[in-house]
Amino acid sequence: MAETPLSSIAVLERLGAEYERIDFDPDPHDHSAVRLAALIDEPLETTMKTLVLRGDKRQYFVCVMAGTSTMDMKKVAAVSGCRKWSMVRQEQMVDVTGYVRGSCSPLGMREVFPTFIDATIQHHNHVVVGSGAPGVVLRMSPDTLRNASGGQFADLVPPL
């Protein structure tokens, strides 16, 4: 039986985008960007985390940032237009995005949500994002990520 194509890959294929699929043996107990970077031998600065949030003005929105980054609450509020927001709970992740925690992709979610990608990643040649399936990530340029997600680059993290 043929493997069902991932919706994140379908998005990239439809666009004719360049990307690399990386398969690995996931750690069932640690879904962090730190662990992922170690498993695939990728710098943490280019290993992205996809955060799904629910705001007071928009039902849901997505922030993508490097595994080394933390969100600046005021900057996220400004870019999203939401004064208050919270992370989507783990048990809601599949219903909201179609993906499980630890493999969430900013590409091919059940619905298209406003997506904000931290602007600091633009200087990298490539970034790695979840594919939507455990044990599979996708490597692509920051511009490919922006185009395929329909997102925009934004200032999301505190200054260094």
Side-chain angles (χ1 to χ4, degrees):
M1 185 156 124
E3 182 180 321
T4 304
L6 297 168
S7 56
S8 56
I9 291 176
V11 168
L12 293 164
E13 294 289 330
R14 224 178 6 259
L15 294 172
E18 289 187 30
Y19 71 94
E20 178 184 355
R21 175 184 170 141
I22 302 169
D23 292 86
F24 64 98
D25 188 19
D27 184 333
H29 305 292
D30 187 349
H31 303 287
S32 69
V34 172
R35 182 67 179 136
L36 172 61
L39 287 170
I40 63 171
D41 196 28
E42 182 76 25
L44 189 54
E45 294 79 23
T46 58
T47 304
M48 301 295 109
K49 52 188 172 184
T50 301
L51 307 173
V52 182
L53 306 116
R54 183 176 186 153
D56 58 353
K57 300 257 189 322
R58 296 184 179 179
Q59 188 163 355
Y60 295 102
F61 63 97
V62 177
C63 291
V64 181
M65 62 190 63
T68 54
S69 298
T70 58
M71 286 189 291
D72 182 309
M73 297 177 87
K74 289 182 181 179
K75 289 179 179 182
V76 170
V79 74
S80 69
C82 298
R83 288 181 46 192
K84 296 179 183 179
W85 49 266
S86 61
M87 298 285 291
V88 169
R89 293 191 321 257
Q90 181 176 345
E91 60 270 11
Q92 296 174 308
M93 189 65 78
V94 172
D95 290 338
V96 172
T97 67
Y99 298 137
V100 296
R101 180 177 167 259
S103 64
C104 189
S105 180
L107 313 174
M109 290 185 185
R110 284 196 172 140
E111 293 182 43
V112 177
F113 299 119
T115 301
F116 306 102
I117 304 162
D118 185 54
T120 62
I121 73 164
Q122 293 180 85
H123 71 276
H124 295 297
N125 291 328
H126 71 269
V127 294
V128 174
V129 297
S131 69
V136 181
V137 292
L138 305 170
R139 181 183 286 144
M140 66 195 71
S141 73
D143 284 334
T144 296
L145 173 60
R146 180 181 48 80
N147 293 337
S149 69
Q152 63 186 31
F153 291 118
D155 187 12
L156 302 176
V157 301
L160 297 176

